[in-house]
Amino acid sequence: PTNQPTNQPTRHSTHYLEMSDDNDSDNGGYGATFQAEDDCDDDVRDYYDSLTPEVLGSGWFDQRLQTLHQEIDITPGRSFFTAPRRRDAQPSDIPVRHPLRALAWVLAQAPVNSTVRVYCYMLTDPLAIDLLIHHGGDKTVLIILHPENKNKIRLLGFFTDHGNVARRAFRDRLQVRIADTSRYNYTSMHDKSIITDGHCTFGSYNLSCPARYQSWESVYIADSEQSQVARFDQIWVSLAHRSIQTVYPDLSPPSPSRPTSKRARTADPRDSNEVNLPSSKEHVAAGSNKAESVKCLMEFGAEKSITSDDGCNPLQLVLQIEKSHAT
């Protein structure tokens, strides 16, 4: 009969058994979690490769995220769930009652100039990184992050793809301190919650790609309590010596440089103030979209050293576009 139990483990359970004794990735020994993160590397790369200058702007590295919270309604219920499915090709593919949309709603509800407190075990999803940086523009965002190397790798990937403008935005808009897990064996900053003036979230959901589309996860939105704020602030103060720039110096942006020639410029976007744009010859015909993209780049704090692949300065490019429209 088909309903008889079987001694044959599923692929996933076999994988878990193989990984369960792997303590090399993290003091918590959650080997399967970090294998899942590695399995998402190609998906993250595909996402970055899909981005175009047109999606950059309005304070976002991917402005399609600005509507992520709009369909959320907590009236019928405050619980939000996700289950394994195909990866999201774009933000609009994320289901309506998804935990990431709920978190986006909580961040959007937080008043301007208020303080947002975030406990973060994993911060590896480019969409979540973008959300936090965006809301750090008009709020004080404090993050206590678990000291996992994959967090550092994914942040470096975000900076590599978006250039030093992303690295500076992360530094200037977010305050991040790294949890101290050295006092005891198998210690983790395993809390995963966001606390604002009005709401607090809790549940299993990590700010990671495996959580977004590979796992069964949940988030619940509750009203915030002063005790939650006090607990966070106590931990935050205790980590005053563990800013992310201190613990991970290579995540800090380099000092601004003013290269005098192309020969003096480095090709590595992590060490350069340049943000490469597609060839201007491909986009002059696109008219104002390209001009708006360049304008948005400038608003994000990029320097005049931004160039397109064919060496055209964006200011010159805008003039070309305006001239083509006039004729």
Side-chain angles (χ1 to χ4, degrees), residues 12-285:
H12 294 291
S13 63
T14 303
H15 176 71
Y16 178 76
L17 291 171
E18 290 172 350
M19 298 299 297
S20 60
D21 292 328
D22 178 11
N23 293 331
D24 294 333
S25 296
D26 170 78
N27 285 340
Y30 303 117
T33 297
F34 299 102
Q35 182 61 48
E37 287 284 354
D38 290 341
D39 288 345
C40 290
D41 285 346
D42 288 342
D43 293 344
V44 172
R45 184 69 262 158
D46 289 345
Y47 168 73
Y48 286 139
D49 289 344
S50 73
L51 298 178
T52 65
E54 286 70 31
V55 304
L56 173 69
S58 303
W60 299 90
F61 290 98
D62 184 348
Q63 62 178 322
R64 295 173 297 181
L65 293 172
Q66 65 185 326
T67 60
L68 194 63
H69 67 283
Q70 289 183 352
E71 296 184 56
I72 291 297
D73 179 9
I74 65 172
T75 304
R78 294 186 171 216
S79 296
F80 299 82
F81 309 98
T82 186
R85 65 183 194 288
R86 294 178 64 89
R87 74 176 180 89
D88 312 305
Q90 54 190 353
S92 60
D93 293 338
I94 299 175
V96 173
R97 299 288 294 181
H98 190 279
L100 187 61
R101 288 187 182 270
L103 298 180
W105 182 87
V106 169
L107 290 170
Q109 293 294 307
V112 172
N113 297 325
S114 66
T115 298
V116 175
R117 296 166 172 85
V118 183
Y119 291 108
C120 201
Y121 182 60
M122 299 300 294
L123 182 56
T124 57
D125 185 354
L127 305 188
I129 297 170
D130 199 350
L131 275 169
L132 292 172
I133 291 176
H134 173 79
H135 286 283
D138 61 9
K139 307 171 185 73
T140 298
V141 177
L142 310 179
I143 301 173
I144 297 177
L145 182 64
H146 178 70
E148 163 54 36
N149 194 49
K150 196 67 178 183
N151 289 327
K152 184 175 114 174
I153 291 171
R154 283 286 170 78
L155 286 170
L156 283 173
F158 190 90
F159 303 154
T160 298
D161 188 82
H162 294 299
N164 269 349
V165 64
R167 196 185 295 253
R168 289 194 296 271
F170 183 89
R171 176 199 64 190
D172 296 341
R173 293 186 169 193
L174 303 178
Q175 299 179 47
V176 184
R177 294 182 181 177
I178 306 301
D180 186 357
T181 61
S182 63
R183 294 182 61 186
Y184 307 100
N185 291 331
Y186 306 109
T187 301
S188 298
M189 171 48 70
H190 208 242
D191 202 337
K192 314 173 190 75
S193 57
I194 296 177
I195 306 164
T196 69
D197 286 359
H199 301 96
C200 175
T201 68
F202 58 87
S204 65
Y205 192 79
N206 275 312
L207 300 180
S208 68
C209 293
R212 177 153 53 89
Y213 54 83
Q214 284 191 344
S215 307
W216 286 271
E217 307 281 358
S218 65
V219 157
Y220 183 82
I221 300 176
D223 295 335
S224 59
E225 299 178 359
Q226 186 56 38
S227 62
Q228 296 164 328
V229 172
R231 174 177 178 262
F232 183 99
D233 289 349
Q234 181 180 26
I235 299 173
W236 179 260
V237 170
S238 74
L239 298 173
H241 62 296
R242 290 183 59 82
S243 71
I244 193 168
Q245 289 82 10
T246 300
V247 179
Y248 301 132
D250 46 347
L251 289 179
S252 300
S255 299
S257 61
R258 295 293 181 269
T260 57
S261 66
K262 285 188 177 180
R263 181 175 296 179
R265 296 171 185 165
T266 173
D268 188 344
R270 288 171 295 182
D271 302 321
S272 171
N273 284 328
E274 292 190 4
V275 178
N276 291 324
L277 302 177
S279 169
S280 62
K281 295 176 183 177
E282 298 173 6
H283 288 283
V284 167

